[in-house]
């Protein structure tokens, strides 16, 4: 009998270990109330490089974003996913939709058109890191891995943009463009921003008091203008989450595609941390996973 | 209740609706004749411009900033890509220290510096002007494919102007959402799209609703209804009541007919 109990305990332990999707020291999902708004926050620390990002920019070779995600995620511990940047054909068939703004998917050009009214250029590296650049500043720094040569590029300059396209192709970079709402602590949206009051979702990348890089997926279910939501979230990150500084805050699509889902540490859907569009309708997808 | 009167009223509304659609058809531009492509011999070969003079006039310390861009776009025959290529070659022979400087300078000249000169042509939607301009822009794409040495220059000019055209197409569709169905608009937009410069014309509110209905996004429509303006809510309510009444009247009419 004792042996049986011992075997049961050992098996339970291994079973428990295999189910755990991520270490809660690095990932926390929480609900908060800011100025009467119910917000959901998935807070992830990039410390020790366990938390990584993957971006599916578009369909590929006839495979939808959802199909690509399914085959890729088979052996991954998913923390959360969300729709990424905006798409055209709003309300139409997502399988026919294309991203708005310049976009590369693992080096493959999806959209070569830079949108003048979106200042945020996001680069997701194959290693799971993600950086943002303010196109208004015109000082995007990229490095050629084969030669080690670095360039500082202003993508609003046609010649530099041509260089960037070659770089993205050779480095197999994943790139997308969106609205940059806060960059290095400076608000990028004014009261003249989109006046539509609606649900909002942001990706915030901050530095905490210990100098660790923290990524936060923040979902505001209430109806907010872009400016109101940005100021509320920026304030929340500073005051409640004690972030030392906000490196950048970008907008994620909740209009044409409102895809969002967080998972608990057992890999189950986390109740309340959901969007209204099923993932099967994804035109693009930002995925956080634990490794 | 007098069903005949109600039926006549509904029929009247239906006729007005059909009339509106027919009126929209009469407004649509279905002209499919595009401006003819220019043959090589039709492209101007006027060659009175001497770039060497511009180089000697400008301060050689930093030519990227001191180059007289405006003079170049005013005087050079930039319609003819062969002549631009010749200008780059001349500049390269003068500026031997950095082989890319000449390409960078003429790229700036034919993009940001050329824009103020020609942008008035595109202030309002004129599809023939856009289509003709697209021909000139596309010539840079073909040169980029066959002239490797100057590929960065050709690609940058091409990319800049196709982006500009795509932006303009979006802008025009904001003023009139129906132009995106016109043949010439779709032709130019197709040229942009085939080279991965996506055009995202604005969808009108009605188009968005229709799209969501077609895709059966009922939950989304229901959610949007609650955040809609009062006028939109009244319109939805009217539409709902109208549809409901039409069904009820039809059912009652059919039942009465069977009873008789």
């Amino acid at each position: 009998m004792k042996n049986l109990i011992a075997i049961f305990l050992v098996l339970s332990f291994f079973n428990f270990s295999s189910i755990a999707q991520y270490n809660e020291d690095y990932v926390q999902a929480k609900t908060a109330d800011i100025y009467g708004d119910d917000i959901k926050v998935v807070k992830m620390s990039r410390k020790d490089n366990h938390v990584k990002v993957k971006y599916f920019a578009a369909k590929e070779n006839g495979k939808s974003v959802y199909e690509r995600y399914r085959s890729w995620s088979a052996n991954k511990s998913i923390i959360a996913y969300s729709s990424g940047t905006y798409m055209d054909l709003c309300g139409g068939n997502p399988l026919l939709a294309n991203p708005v703004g310049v976009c590369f998917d693992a080096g493959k050009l999806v959209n070569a058109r830079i949108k003048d009214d979106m200042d945020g250029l996001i680069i997701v590296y194959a290693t799971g890191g993600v950086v943002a650049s303010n196109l208004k500043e015109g000082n995007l720094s990229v490095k050629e891995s084969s030669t080690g040569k670095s360039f500082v590029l202003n993508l609003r300059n046609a010649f530099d943009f041509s260089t960037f396209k070659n770089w993205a192709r050779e480095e197999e970079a994943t790139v997308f463009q969106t609205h940059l709402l806060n960059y290095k602590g400076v608000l990028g949206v004014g009261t003249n921003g989109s006046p539509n009051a609606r649900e909002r979702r942001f990706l915030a990348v901050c530095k905490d008091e210990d100098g660790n890089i923290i990524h936060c997926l923040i979902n505001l279910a209430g109806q907010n203008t872009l400016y109101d939501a940005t100021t509320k979230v920026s304030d929340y990150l500073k005051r409640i989450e004690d972030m030392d500084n906000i490196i950048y805050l970008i907008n994620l699509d909740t209009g044409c595609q409102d895809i969002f889902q967080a998972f608990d540490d057992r890999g189950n859907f986390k109740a309340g941390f959901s969007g209204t569009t099923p993932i099967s309708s994804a035109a693009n997808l930002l995925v956080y996973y634990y490794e | 209740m007098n069903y005949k009167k109600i039926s006549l009223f509904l029929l009247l509304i239906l006729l007005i609706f059909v009339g509106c659609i027919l009126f929209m058809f009469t407004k649509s531009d279905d002209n499919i004749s595009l401006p003819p492509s220019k043959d090589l011999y039709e492209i101007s070969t006027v060659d009175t411009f001497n770039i060497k003079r511009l180089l000697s006039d400008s301060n050689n310390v930093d030519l990227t900033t001191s180059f007289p861009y405006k003079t170049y776009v005013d005087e050079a025959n930039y319609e003819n890509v062969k002549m631009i290529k010749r200008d780059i070659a001349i500049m390269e022979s003068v500026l031997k220290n950095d082989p890319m400087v000449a390409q960078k300078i003429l790229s700036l000249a034919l993009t940001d510096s050329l824009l103020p000169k020609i942008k008035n042509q595109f202030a309002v939607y004129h599809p023939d002007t856009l289509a003709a301009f697209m021909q000139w822009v596309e010539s840079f794409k073909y040169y980029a494919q066959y002239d490797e040495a100057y590929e960065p220059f050709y690609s940058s000019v091409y990319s800049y102007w196709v982006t500009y055209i795509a932006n303009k197409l979006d802008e025009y569709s904001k003023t009139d959402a129906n132009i995106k169905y016109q043949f010439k608009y779709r032709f130019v937009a197709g040229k942009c799209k085939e080279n991965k410069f996506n055009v995202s014309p604005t969808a009108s509110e009605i188009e968005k609703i229709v799209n969501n209905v077609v895709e059966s996004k009922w939950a989304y429509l229901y959610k949007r209804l609650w955040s809609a303006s009062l006028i939109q809510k009244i319109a939805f309510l009217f539409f709902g009541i109208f549809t409901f009444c039409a069904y009820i009247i039809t059912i009652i009419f059919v039942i009465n007919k069977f009873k008789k």
Side-chain angles (χ1 to χ4, degrees):
Chain A
M1 188 63 186
K2 275 181 186 172
N3 287 344
L4 278 173
I5 291 168
I7 289 166
F8 176 75
L9 285 173
V10 167
L11 283 174
S12 300
F13 173 74
F14 279 113
N15 197 25
F16 171 78
S17 305
S18 63
I19 287 171
Q21 297 287 298
Y22 56 75
N23 186 332
E24 285 186 320
D25 291 345
Y26 297 96
V27 182
Q28 294 161 37
K30 54 175 93 171
T31 301
D33 185 286
I34 47 166
Y35 306 108
D37 254 326
D38 170 52
I39 67 162
K40 309 285 183 198
V41 183
V42 183
K43 187 179 171 188
M44 298 159 283
S45 171
R46 286 269 294 152
K47 189 183 170 190
D48 303 327
N49 211 24
H50 290 299
V51 172
K52 294 180 175 180
V53 188
K54 168 82 178 166
Y55 189 70
F56 296 93
K59 56 196 173 288
E60 188 181 58
N61 302 329
K63 277 178 98 176
S64 70
V65 165
Y66 175 55
E67 287 166 337
R68 289 181 63 197
Y69 166 77
R70 273 188 61 175
S71 51
W72 170 84
S73 64
N75 56 351
K76 298 280 190 302
S77 302
I78 307 298
I79 300 166
Y81 58 68
S82 166
S83 32
T85 193
Y86 321 109
M87 58 188 248
D88 59 9
L89 285 180
C90 191
N93 186 343
L95 300 179
L96 301 175
N98 285 302
V100 173
V102 68
C103 184
F104 287 83
D105 193 326
K108 198 174 160 190
L109 181 64
V110 181
N111 186 7
R113 179 184 166 199
I114 283 222
K115 279 280 280 178
D116 289 339
D117 58 348
M118 300 200 294
D119 291 329
L121 185 92
I122 318 302
I123 303 176
V124 182
Y125 290 99
T127 51
V130 56
V131 294
S133 174
N134 187 352
L135 291 177
K136 219 184 262 175
E137 290 184 357
N139 57 0
L140 172 69
S141 180
V142 293
K143 196 175 181 183
E144 233 173 41
S145 57
S146 56
T147 59
K149 202 175 157 188
S150 290
F151 308 93
V152 176
L153 303 171
N154 172 11
L155 300 198
R156 296 257 157 91
N157 172 299
F159 202 85
D160 280 5
F161 183 56
S162 201
T163 310
F164 175 75
K165 282 200 289 185
N166 291 335
W167 172 85
R169 202 164 25 236
E170 276 165 31
E171 297 296 320
E172 299 188 352
T174 295
V175 178
F176 67 96
Q177 208 184 338
T178 186
H179 284 119
L180 193 58
L181 305 173
N182 190 326
Y183 189 65
K184 295 176 182 168
V186 180
L187 281 186
V189 60
T191 45
N192 57 348
S194 169
N196 295 338
R198 59 173 312 136
E199 63 284 2
R200 305 278 173 191
R201 190 174 310 121
F202 302 139
L203 167 65
V205 173
C206 314
K207 199 175 258 186
D208 70 8
E209 288 169 327
D210 302 322
N212 297 317
I213 301 295
I214 307 293
H215 288 217
C216 295
L217 276 173
I218 304 165
N219 194 61
L220 287 89
Q223 307 294 306
N224 283 284
T225 64
L226 196 55
Y227 176 77
D228 287 345
T230 305
T231 48
K232 280 179 186 178
V233 166
S234 300
D235 194 42
Y236 167 80
L237 291 167
K238 285 270 186 188
R239 283 196 313 112
I240 314 293
E241 292 293 341
D242 289 330
M243 290 297 147
D244 220 27
N245 62 57
I246 298 169
I247 302 170
Y248 60 86
L249 179 75
I250 58 168
N251 196 29
L252 301 174
D253 193 12
T254 53
C256 299
Q257 44 167 357
D258 178 19
I259 296 160
F260 176 52
Q261 184 62 60
F263 297 84
D264 64 18
D265 62 342
R266 301 283 194 278
N268 302 315
F269 288 142
K270 193 147 178 67
F273 286 69
S274 318
T276 53
T277 314
I279 187 177
S280 54
S281 299
N284 52 53
L285 204 62
L286 178 75
V287 186
Y288 274 89
Y289 63 103
Y290 188 90
E291 209 166 65
Chain B
M1 194 187 280
N2 190 337
Y3 295 117
K4 277 187 180 171
K5 276 185 182 172
I6 295 172
S7 297
L8 270 173
F9 174 69
L10 291 175
L11 186 67
L12 189 70
I13 290 177
L14 183 71
L15 284 173
I16 292 168
F17 180 68
V18 171
C20 288
I21 291 174
L22 287 174
F23 177 69
M24 279 166 67
F25 276 134
T26 60
K27 274 182 70 185
S28 70
D29 178 6
D30 52 359
N31 181 3
I32 57 164
S33 59
L34 290 161
S37 314
K38 273 190 177 178
D39 285 328
L40 279 177
Y41 63 84
E42 287 179 293
I43 295 171
S44 167
T45 50
V46 174
D47 189 15
T48 54
F49 175 72
N50 183 0
I51 199 166
K52 275 188 182 164
R53 179 178 58 81
L54 285 191
L55 294 176
S56 58
D57 287 351
S58 59
N59 177 5
N60 264 336
V61 178
D62 181 6
L63 202 62
T64 317
T65 51
S66 64
F67 184 79
Y69 293 98
K70 192 175 177 302
T71 315
Y72 183 81
V73 294
D74 284 343
E75 294 179 12
N77 179 6
Y78 57 80
E79 189 191 2
N80 193 324
V81 182
K82 276 186 184 169
M83 289 189 183
I84 302 169
K85 187 182 171 182
R86 183 206 58 188
D87 291 343
I88 299 175
I90 293 170
M91 286 178 77
E92 279 183 337
S93 64
V94 177
L95 308 161
K96 288 174 184 158
N97 49 347
D98 185 349
M100 279 295 165
V101 169
Q103 292 191 49
K104 276 182 193 170
I105 289 171
L106 285 200
S107 168
L108 261 177
L110 292 179
T111 54
D112 289 337
S113 303
L114 181 59
L115 179 63
K117 190 181 171 183
I118 62 170
K119 70 177 179 186
N120 283 345
Q121 294 174 38
F122 307 107
V124 289
Y125 175 61
H126 194 279
D128 287 344
T129 311
L130 273 178
F133 185 59
M134 186 56 119
Q135 286 176 18
W136 176 74
V137 172
E138 283 202 308
S139 60
F140 286 90
K141 181 180 85 172
Y142 302 127
Y143 274 91
Q145 286 165 358
Y146 296 108
D147 194 348
E148 205 177 310
Y150 296 150
E151 187 275 332
F153 163 74
Y154 295 126
S155 293
S156 65
V157 176
Y158 171 72
S159 182
Y160 180 92
W161 287 113
V162 183
T163 300
Y164 180 77
I165 292 169
N167 285 341
K168 277 286 164 191
L169 290 172
D170 278 3
E171 199 182 303
Y172 299 140
S173 73
K174 278 181 191 156
T175 318
D176 180 0
N178 291 324
I179 60 165
K180 61 177 174 284
Y181 299 113
Q182 291 178 10
F183 170 76
K184 287 178 186 176
Y185 183 98
R186 292 168 76 111
F187 174 80
V188 180
K191 287 273 177 193
C192 297
K193 278 184 184 176
E194 75 181 22
N195 294 295
K196 308 255 174 160
F197 291 83
N198 295 338
V199 179
S200 322
T202 308
S204 66
E205 291 301 317
I206 292 172
E207 283 171 322
K208 282 182 189 173
I209 294 169
V210 171
N211 285 342
N212 281 300
V213 169
V214 170
E215 291 296 318
S216 306
K217 293 180 178 173
W218 306 114
Y220 178 75
L221 282 169
Y222 179 74
K223 198 179 73 172
R224 295 303 301 153
L225 178 62
W226 289 115
S227 57
S229 67
L230 185 66
I231 293 170
Q232 286 170 324
K233 280 178 184 166
I234 291 168
F236 263 111
L237 188 70
F238 179 76
F239 179 75
I241 291 171
F242 182 79
T243 313
F244 182 74
C245 288
Y247 272 108
I248 294 295
I249 289 165
T250 311
I251 291 165
I252 292 171
F253 179 77
V254 171
I255 290 169
N256 284 344
K257 204 177 175 185
F258 274 108
K259 274 183 182 174
K260 282 175 187 173

